[in-house]
Amino acid sequence: MEKPTFDQLPEAIVTLYDKLLSIEKMLTDLKFGYNLPEQDLLTIQQASELVTLAVPTLYSKVSLKEIPFCKKGKRLYFSKSELLKWVKSGVQETNGNIVNGVENKFLAIHSKK
């Protein structure tokens, strides 16, 4: 790029301003994770907010290997999708579902005879 003349300065400033806005948008997108995939990694504070557990509780679950996590050096990371899957795995069956399951097994056993 050539050095702009005095007459070209207003146009050069507009070009620089547009480029600066573009860089600012890219940095903002990176900061807030807009361009990151759905399975982004979370810090322990972010994971704590996601699963609504206190940070010390998460540390104890990590030490007991009760929760999915990644460790790189001294840092802990959590996959958002893995944490959501872990939370959903704790869903309890209703009494109606349990009764239906037992009835279906009972009928399946007796229909084979």
Side-chain angles (χ1 to χ4, degrees), residues 17-36:
Y17 180 75
D18 290 342
K19 288 182 179 183
L20 181 62
L21 286 178
S22 173
I23 291 170
E24 186 179 46
K25 183 183 178 333
M26 286 189 291
L27 290 173
T28 302
D29 287 352
L30 285 174
K31 178 180 178 183
F32 291 109
Y34 295 134
N35 295 329
L36 296 176

Side-chain angles (χ1 to χ4, degrees), residues 15-75:
T15 303
L16 284 173
Y17 180 75
D18 290 342
K19 288 182 179 183
L20 181 62
L21 286 178
S22 173
I23 291 170
E24 186 179 46
K25 183 183 178 333
M26 286 189 291
L27 290 173
T28 302
D29 287 352
L30 285 174
K31 178 180 178 183
F32 291 109
Y34 295 134
N35 295 329
L36 296 176
E38 184 63 29
Q39 297 177 349
D40 59 337
L41 294 179
L42 304 175
T43 63
I44 193 149
Q45 288 81 11
Q46 293 167 325
S48 168
E49 292 172 13
L50 180 68
V51 297
T52 60
L53 291 173
V55 171
T57 304
L58 281 182
Y59 277 121
S60 68
K61 291 194 174 297
V62 165
S63 69
L64 296 171
K65 296 187 181 355
E66 293 179 354
I67 191 167
F69 68 96
C70 303
K71 188 171 183 181
K72 187 71 175 173
K74 292 184 177 183
R75 300 219 180 242

Side-chain angles (χ1 to χ4, degrees), residues 90-102:
V91 173
Q92 299 295 316
E93 285 195 58
T94 64
N95 288 338
N97 287 347
I98 294 170
V99 169
N100 286 339
V102 170

